[in-house]
Amino acid sequence: MKSSQPLEESRRVAYLNALGIALWTQKAQLQESEAVAPPEESIARQPARLQEAAAQEPQPAVDEPSLPVIDYEIIKNMDLSALAGQVASCTACDLHKTRKQTVFGVGHHKADWLIIGEAPGADEDRQGEPFVGRAGQLLTQMLRAIGLAREEVFIANILKCRPPNNRDPRAEEVSACQAYLGRQIELLEPKIILALGRIAAQSLLQTSTPIGKMRGRLYHLENYNIPVVVTYHPAYLLRSPREKRKVWEDLKFARQQAIDTV
Ligand code: URA
């Protein structure tokens, strides 16, 4: 575990400036083995890709995010427990009407690893904890495989509330929720972020690049200079167990980044 240090003001300002549609910016480096691959078109493009990504997903048509995003000014001084309280009473999007409870995230407050999934499912909605269903059990095993106990990482989701019938998150829900994850990242200052699945990866990195092309690359959340590694969602692995080998490669890659991050 690392010691926590206050964020530089410039990073905080950069973060605030980036709020609104473009909360995060990213750049990517290639893993050595992929260094000959052509650069991704998406990497050079600017944020505001979230709506684009969402527009490609099978979901009811949504013109523009119409809900107010959470005002970062309100949460910028909150610690994790105050933030969890704020999330628990959130009504910023319609998901509050159907949730049983919010799912803030769980884990060590000085974790080196931040694992980010998509959104709570039925089990998580019932228990108030991320990744507690079958996919969560597989995630716990995946972490164990690289020597990490669930308790020593922090696990959170892009959305803090369950979308009904496990449908994909909508762009306006991601927008409404993103300051919470931003503040979590700011407080945790992890050495590595592992994004699980297409929706987590595309939302976090504001790209529409297919997940298969995002794997094996090192991204950074520039405002925080935190490395991000993308891998498949454990729910996908339950359906396609042959892909576990690739996830194992991704986990080893992420572990190396965490070691390299000072
Ligand atoms: N899938 C996710 O993406 N997150 C959870 O918390 C559970 C399942």
Side-chain angles (χ1 to χ4, degrees):
M1 305 298 155
K2 60 190 162 12
S3 63
S4 65
Q5 289 175 345
L7 269 189
E8 280 171 34
E9 187 57 20
S10 60
R11 286 169 68 193
R12 187 181 299 281
V13 170
Y15 174 77
L16 279 170
N17 286 343
L19 261 182
I21 301 303
L23 180 60
W24 297 291
T25 56
Q26 49 94 4
K27 61 186 178 191
Q29 296 165 358
L30 298 184
Q31 200 176 350
E32 260 176 41
S33 62
E34 294 202 1
V36 292
E40 283 299 318
E41 162 270 342
S42 63
I43 291 161
R45 294 186 57 177
Q46 294 303 308
R49 301 293 302 268
L50 195 56
Q51 288 86 348
E52 243 178 83
Q56 296 185 355
E57 293 169 1
Q59 61 185 27
V62 175
D63 292 328
E64 288 281 317
S66 55
L67 294 158
V69 295
I70 300 303
D71 186 353
Y72 181 72
E73 283 297 316
I74 295 172
I75 63 170
K76 71 177 185 186
N77 293 318
M78 289 186 178
D79 63 13
L80 283 170
S81 90
L83 191 65
Q86 182 77 20
V87 167
S89 60
C90 184
T91 56
C93 77
D94 279 349
L95 295 182
H96 77 276
K97 296 178 185 164
T98 49
R99 74 182 177 218
K100 287 194 166 59
Q101 58 187 311
T102 56
V103 179
F104 177 71
V106 69
H108 204 290
H109 289 193
K110 298 208 186 310
D112 286 344
W113 288 63
L114 172 58
I115 318 288
I116 301 180
E118 175 182 325
D123 293 317
E124 292 75 22
D125 184 50
R126 231 182 341 263
Q127 297 187 42
E129 184 173 326
F131 283 100
V132 291
R134 278 185 70 219
Q137 287 159 21
L138 180 54
L139 173 62
T140 304
Q141 287 171 12
M142 285 160 50
L143 293 172
R144 281 235 167 268
I146 47 160
L148 289 168
R150 194 177 153 99
E151 300 70 38
E152 44 178 321
V153 304
F154 197 94
I155 306 174
N157 282 307
I158 297 286
L159 293 190
K160 310 306 185 204
C161 296
R162 181 192 181 205
N165 305 316
N166 298 338
R167 64 158 168 76
D168 285 352
R170 293 179 177 154
E172 76 269 24
E173 293 159 355
V174 174
S175 295
C177 221
Q178 66 185 2
Y180 292 138
L181 183 59
R183 182 68 185 145
Q184 285 178 309
I185 294 170
E186 204 173 45
L187 285 162
L188 292 162
E189 289 192 274
K191 287 187 175 174
I192 184 76
I193 292 176
L194 183 67
L196 299 177
R198 174 181 65 87
I199 288 181
Q202 292 183 342
S203 301
L204 192 65
L205 298 169
Q206 298 182 329
T207 178
S208 55
T209 305
I211 185 166
K213 291 193 175 170
M214 296 176 85
R215 289 188 49 252
R217 289 171 182 269
L218 183 60
Y219 291 83
H220 280 84
L221 296 184
E222 271 183 358
N223 294 340
Y224 311 87
N225 199 27
I226 296 172
V228 180
V229 168
V230 170
T231 194
Y232 291 126
H233 195 286
Y236 170 71
L237 293 185
L238 290 172
R239 298 190 301 272
S240 310
R242 289 163 64 108
E243 302 287 46
K244 283 183 184 171
R245 189 185 47 77
K246 292 182 186 163
V247 172
W248 173 236
E249 293 303 319
D250 298 337
L251 290 172
K252 285 190 295 182
F253 179 46
R255 179 172 58 187
Q256 193 54 51
Q257 303 315 316
I259 290 167
D260 291 346
T261 304
V262 280

